[in-house]
Amino acid sequence: TIPAISAVRMHLIFLRCLVLAHIFVSGFGEGTPRSFHLRFPQSTKTIVGCVEKRVQLPMKLRGGGEDERKTLDSFSHELQSRAKGDNVLVNVEVAKITGNILECKISTNCPDKMWLHWAFSSGSTGWFAPPDEFLPEGTKRVDEKAVQSPFKNNELVVRVPLKQAPEALSFVFKRESPEEWFNGPGGDFRVNFRPADPDAIGNLVVEREARASHWSILDRVRLVNEQLKAASESPHALAWLYTLLRFQTLKLVPLSRSSNYQSKDLAHAQDGLSRGLAALYGRRAIAENSGDATAVDLWVRTYCRLALASVPRGGGNGDSVRLEILDIMRRNGIKEGHRPGIEDRFLEDWHQKLHTCCAPDDLAIASAYIAFLESGGDAEAYWGTLRAEGLTWEYMCGIGGGKGSANSGVSGMRATPMFLPQMLNDIKHLRWTLMQLHGGADLDFLITKVADGLDGELRGILYDIQAHRHEWWIPGKVTEARHRLAGYLANEHGHRDGLMLDVALETWFKVGLDKVNLGSLSGDDAFELIVMALDNQALSFGGAYHQALALMRAVKSRGDRWERDGARRVKAALELASITLQAHMDGLHDQVQAKAERLGREIGTDAGLLSRLGEELVRGLPGFILGQLLAAVDPHVRNAAGLGAWEVISSARGSAEGRVEVLEDLASVQGRAWDAPRVLLVTRVGGTEDIPAGTVAVITRSATDLLSHLAIRARNQGVVLATCHDEAVFAGLRALANGPARVTVSPAGEVVLAAVTEAA
């Protein structure tokens, strides 16, 4: 008969294949065939569902016969007129109609004559002229790229055969009298006819960041906003857009290069992007709730959340920053331009920066200035706060003209502020104004912005979190709040501030779990925290996490988790959670790391920083804590279930050969490069070590969580990494020291290390 543990392991292998297929089909490799996807049913009675065939057509052109009209995209936007003081509503719809024709219909309620200033466009070439056969009646060409078409009866239609369709149609509106132009939220309006080509988006990002002579944070935000809808069907395209935003957050790209902008324009662009991300997330949440989710939804939700953590909120009155700093300086008698007054070089430089290149770093500068004023004028309070916010001396010297901002009037912000205590309240209010534009991660600010639109019970929970955010019980309260908030986020138009709050709450969930001493947890306590952490992953990303959570709750409800058979069921649930988390995080790491390395090489980013960027991203997410909890509970479950000796973290290619080295710890060989392949038998690993060059396998007695630095490097470098839980087995392996051996990982997860004959 087959031992029970073999049946369990074979079941886990089956689960691993299904989960990995579910995620790989969604875009780990852009060349992966997309002719089918795996759908997980909503029912908790089954772990996995069936494979459903589905044709992948451009954008969302699935289904619909020759005579069926199918809406692919639609949105409305309100144009605000400064010339006449009225608002004009425009509606845009893209549909596939009879004969495989794509139709873009644009309507407006404007009583005056309106023109559409438009062109075909692509991410790599920008605007280009549409052929004559696609021009509506009355269209006139205005230059070599753009045309203008009149609205008739407040409607305009552009039709293009599917086979001849460009990547997108870009446009702005023009009112004839009085002449007035209207842009979209963050730049040109853009409707997509075809899904984005990830390579084209990557080329566009690299070209702009490395070679554009005039470039700024405003252009960067507009680029991401323009490409967002087209990228929404491709994980790799989304990864490019997120990587660009992450470089901006890490200050690896300049705020401006020979380019200035007004704060109101940046506020408008940020507002459009943050709302677009929230709407995209909301639509995917609706699909999840209705059972219509596809494999790509995991990645859409992932990158929407990551991007919103990197994108300032936007909106508000963008001009208010520029006007408020002027008002503050004049009220307090500070010299400004040729106006006489108190000379404070810091305020003069900051005033010029706020006028010409206002950015999220101004929030940090305001906080540092407030700390300086509250400290009684301690210079270290100012500079120390800046350093803590990531604004180094070199960065401050490069602000403004140092980054190439044309005629900005400021070349670096090197001055320490003058101690003017009467400025404190004014600067606090200015910081609040800046928060309207550049906030998004601050919990207190977001609760204030969202609270009035929530039900009373949820408001009460949020206020409780706000008042007691450092208490030990906060992770449970955060989970409760997120469950209640989820209903607000599943909205076709999105809930921008609600989603930003949800991202901030998720961060506080991680902060709370970071304080837990994992080594002191009992098996029951660790198991309870795993269920809570998995619940939060499911709330954020949906998909396979819901299945892992359902199975975990099912085994929890049985109450026999520490009995032999019950513990084996727990092990199955833990394995499903582990492979779901590992596949998701490894995929995220690989997608972002590849883009970061290419972009970084082109713009001259430090190679050492680039090599860690993807890993630091993964380790900074709440999933990292889940990985640690899974490792912490595993010994308890293994003992109760009477399982075998091995836990495989990285199976690499399944086998490897090398000379056996016996080490007490991995730290002792850091920086070493072996002259021939080595299999390392290591008593202790901490999880933060690098793997020496030439190593083909690391076998250790230490439990290693699957998202540790060591685990991620092992999988990326193709190195076998396994934990031996049996001291007697490990002692037997030591007998192979200094000789050649082959390590093999079986499909059932057993590790065999056997001596081999050394080649002559």
Side-chain angles (χ1 to χ4, degrees):
T1 60
I2 300 174
I5 186 58
S6 297
V8 171
R9 285 191 179 278
M10 292 308 294
H11 179 59
L12 295 180
I13 294 166
F14 173 68
L15 289 178
R16 182 184 296 272
C17 292
L18 287 174
V19 173
L20 291 178
H22 170 60
I23 297 181
F24 270 107
V25 167
S26 69
F28 274 21
E30 201 59 39
T32 304
R34 300 291 298 279
S35 60
F36 68 92
H37 75 279
L38 193 70
R39 170 173 287 180
F40 284 96
Q42 296 301 305
S43 170
T44 60
K45 294 180 181 179
T46 57
I47 300 172
V48 294
C50 60
V51 176
E52 176 188 341
K53 290 185 182 291
R54 171 168 288 187
V55 177
Q56 177 71 41
L57 294 172
M59 295 299 289
K60 297 181 180 178
L61 305 185
R62 310 184 187 104
E66 285 293 308
D67 297 323
E68 180 182 343
R69 178 183 179 86
K70 184 174 180 64
T71 298
L72 309 176
D73 189 18
S74 63
F75 63 89
S76 299
H77 187 75
E78 194 171 70
L79 309 177
Q80 298 180 338
S81 171
R82 292 188 176 182
K84 299 187 69 171
D86 60 347
N87 294 332
V88 175
L89 180 67
V90 296
N91 298 297
V92 181
E93 180 194 43
V94 179
K96 177 185 163 224
I97 62 175
T98 302
N100 276 331
I101 301 294
L102 293 179
E103 177 184 88
C104 179
K105 181 183 292 185
I106 305 172
S107 60
T108 173
N109 65 352
C110 182
D112 304 315
K113 186 169 184 178
M114 293 283 287
W115 292 80
L116 192 74
H117 183 89
W118 65 282
F120 287 169
S121 65
S122 71
S124 58
T125 62
W127 285 39
F128 61 93
D132 289 342
E133 61 264 32
F134 304 137
L135 303 182
E137 184 181 352
T139 298
K140 58 184 181 182
R141 294 193 179 275
V142 293
D143 55 35
E144 70 278 5
K145 292 183 178 181
V147 299
Q148 288 182 4
S149 301
F151 282 81
K152 293 188 176 181
N153 299 319
N154 286 340
E155 188 174 275
L156 178 69
V157 177
V158 177
R159 295 188 180 95
V160 184
L162 179 59
K163 291 183 179 180
Q164 297 173 265
E167 182 180 306
L169 187 152
S170 295
F171 56 93
V172 296
F173 293 92
K174 174 188 173 184
R175 178 184 246 157
E176 185 167 284
S177 181
E179 182 174 312
E180 189 172 13
W181 294 78
F182 302 95
N183 293 330
D188 301 333
F189 288 93
R190 176 185 170 104
V191 294
N192 300 292
F193 287 159
R194 294 190 176 275
D197 174 2
D199 291 336
I201 287 184
N203 293 338
L204 176 65
V205 167
V206 169
E207 178 66 26
R208 295 290 193 273
E209 290 296 340
R211 288 176 273 280
S213 59
H214 296 76
W215 192 245
S216 71
I217 181 177
L218 174 61
D219 301 300
R220 194 173 294 127
V221 171
R222 284 175 170 171
L223 184 153
V224 175
N225 198 22
E226 289 170 0
Q227 299 296 326
L228 182 60
K229 276 192 177 181
S232 64
E233 293 292 314
S234 167
H236 283 270
L238 288 170
W240 265 115
L241 300 182
Y242 168 67
T243 301
L244 177 58
L245 293 174
R246 183 159 178 80
F247 267 60
Q248 178 174 286
T249 300
L250 296 175
K251 302 175 179 63
L252 301 179
V253 289
L255 288 177
S256 61
R257 182 168 59 241
S258 300
S259 178
N260 290 324
Y261 54 87
Q262 293 187 23
S263 55
K264 64 180 178 64
D265 295 325
L266 181 59
H268 184 60
Q270 290 173 165
D271 180 65
L273 178 55
S274 59
R275 291 185 186 278
L277 288 165
L280 181 57
Y281 183 93
R283 289 191 291 271
R284 301 295 177 157
I286 292 172
E288 174 94 30
N289 295 342
S290 62
D292 293 329
T294 62
V296 76
D297 289 357
L298 167 73
W299 298 109
V300 173
R301 292 175 67 162
T302 297
Y303 286 118
C304 282
R305 297 183 71 87
L306 290 173
L308 271 177
S310 305
V311 174
R313 177 178 178 274
N317 182 357
D319 267 342
S320 60
V321 171
R322 178 177 60 86
L323 298 175
E324 187 167 349
I325 188 64
L326 279 173
D327 185 53
I328 289 172
M329 294 176 74
R330 290 170 182 175
R331 272 204 322 271
N332 290 276
I334 308 300
K335 181 180 178 182
E336 176 255 316
H338 297 294
R339 186 186 298 273
I342 301 170
E343 293 195 21
D344 184 340
R345 181 67 191 200
F346 159 77
L347 282 174
E348 176 61 20
D349 288 346
W350 193 25
H351 154 247
Q352 291 295 335
K353 180 183 183 307
L354 291 174
H355 268 263
T356 57
C357 50
C358 180
D361 60 358
D362 287 301
L363 267 174
I365 294 172
S367 296
Y369 189 23
I370 290 169
F372 169 80
L373 295 175
E374 290 181 335
S375 71
D378 181 4
E380 181 54 29
Y382 173 72
W383 291 104
T385 302
L386 289 178
R387 288 194 298 272
E389 295 282 352
L391 274 60
T392 63
W393 168 258
E394 291 76 16
Y395 181 87
M396 296 299 290
C397 289
I399 283 176
K403 292 285 185 184
S405 295
N407 302 317
S408 66
V410 57
S411 179
M413 289 186 63
R414 301 174 180 82
T416 299
M418 180 182 295
F419 181 55
L420 301 170
Q422 69 273 22
M423 300 276 287
L424 180 59
N425 288 334
D426 285 339
I427 299 302
K428 285 183 175 180
H429 189 275
L430 177 60
R431 186 181 185 279
W432 177 258
T433 303
L434 286 165
M435 188 76 76
Q436 308 293 315
L437 275 65
H438 303 307
D442 185 85
L443 184 66
D444 299 302
F445 171 76
L446 289 169
I447 289 176
T448 301
K449 298 299 292 185
V450 172
D452 287 345
L454 305 177
D455 62 85
E457 190 162 357
L458 178 52
R459 280 202 305 272
I461 296 171
L462 292 173
Y463 292 150
D464 204 11
I465 293 171
Q466 194 174 17
H468 304 95
R469 70 192 72 186
H470 297 292
E471 297 292 338
W472 65 270
W473 43 264
I474 278 297
K477 188 65 71 173
V478 165
T479 304
E480 182 183 359
R482 293 193 65 206
H483 270 285
R484 290 181 170 275
L485 190 57
Y488 293 91
L489 307 183
N491 184 311
E492 184 176 353
H493 302 292
H495 193 309
R496 189 263 310 275
D497 290 341
L499 183 55
M500 283 187 154
L501 174 60
D502 191 59
V503 172
L505 287 171
E506 187 183 30
T507 299
W508 276 99
F509 177 83
K510 181 180 184 297
V511 169
L513 288 192
D514 277 336
K515 299 175 183 177
V516 176
N517 182 356
L518 300 182
S520 67
L521 290 176
S522 67
D524 282 327
D525 289 340
F527 189 78
E528 292 294 331
L529 288 179
I530 285 173
V531 175
M532 188 187 302
L534 197 53
D535 193 4
N536 273 267
Q537 290 291 107
L539 282 167
S540 296
F541 309 114
Y545 284 108
H546 280 305
Q547 316 310 316
L549 177 62
L551 183 58
M552 196 73 71
R553 284 174 169 164
V555 299
K556 176 185 175 182
S557 67
R558 294 178 61 92
D560 60 351
R561 73 186 69 153
W562 305 123
E563 298 174 12
R564 185 173 182 273
D565 289 342
R568 292 186 176 192
R569 282 187 287 269
V570 171
K571 180 60 179 173
L574 293 175
E575 182 75 358
L576 180 57
S578 295
I579 59 179
T580 301
L581 178 65
Q582 178 181 322
H584 184 199
M585 293 296 103
D586 282 357
L588 177 62
H589 172 278
D590 294 348
Q591 290 172 15
V592 173
Q593 185 65 34
K595 280 68 176 173
E597 288 178 0
R598 183 185 169 198
L599 177 57
R601 284 194 302 269
E602 293 286 346
I603 64 175
T605 306
D606 176 71
L609 177 60
L610 281 179
S611 68
R612 304 187 301 272
L613 194 143
E615 182 183 327
E616 289 176 355
L617 167 63
V618 168
R619 289 168 61 85
L621 298 175
F624 179 65
I625 301 296
L626 175 57
Q628 291 181 315
L629 287 167
L630 292 168
V633 81
D634 190 70
H636 300 281
V637 176
R638 299 185 70 85
N639 289 337
L643 298 182
W646 295 100
E647 187 76 11
V648 178
I649 295 94
S650 170
S651 60
R653 300 175 183 85
S655 67
E657 289 188 16
R659 184 168 295 279
V660 177
E661 293 279 346
V662 178
L663 305 169
E664 281 301 306
D665 57 61
L666 196 55
S668 62
V669 291
Q670 291 300 279
R672 187 164 182 175
W674 305 109
D675 57 1
R678 290 292 196 276
V679 174
L680 306 184
L681 298 181
V682 187
T683 303
R684 296 183 305 277
V685 299
T688 60
E689 302 92 341
D690 287 321
I691 300 174
T695 301
V696 296
V698 177
I699 298 173
T700 179
R701 286 282 288 127
S702 298
T704 306
D705 76 81
L706 56 90
L707 294 184
S708 65
H709 174 82
L710 179 63
I712 292 173
R713 287 300 170 95
R715 292 192 291 270
N716 287 338
Q717 294 173 212
V719 174
V720 173
L721 174 61
T723 296
C724 179
H725 294 283
D726 189 317
E727 177 57 38
V729 173
F730 195 74
L733 298 180
R734 289 193 181 99
L736 300 173
N738 301 318
R742 176 185 293 115
V743 59
T744 304
V745 181
S746 75
E750 296 293 339
V751 179
V752 176
L753 184 65
V756 296
T757 302
E758 198 162 13

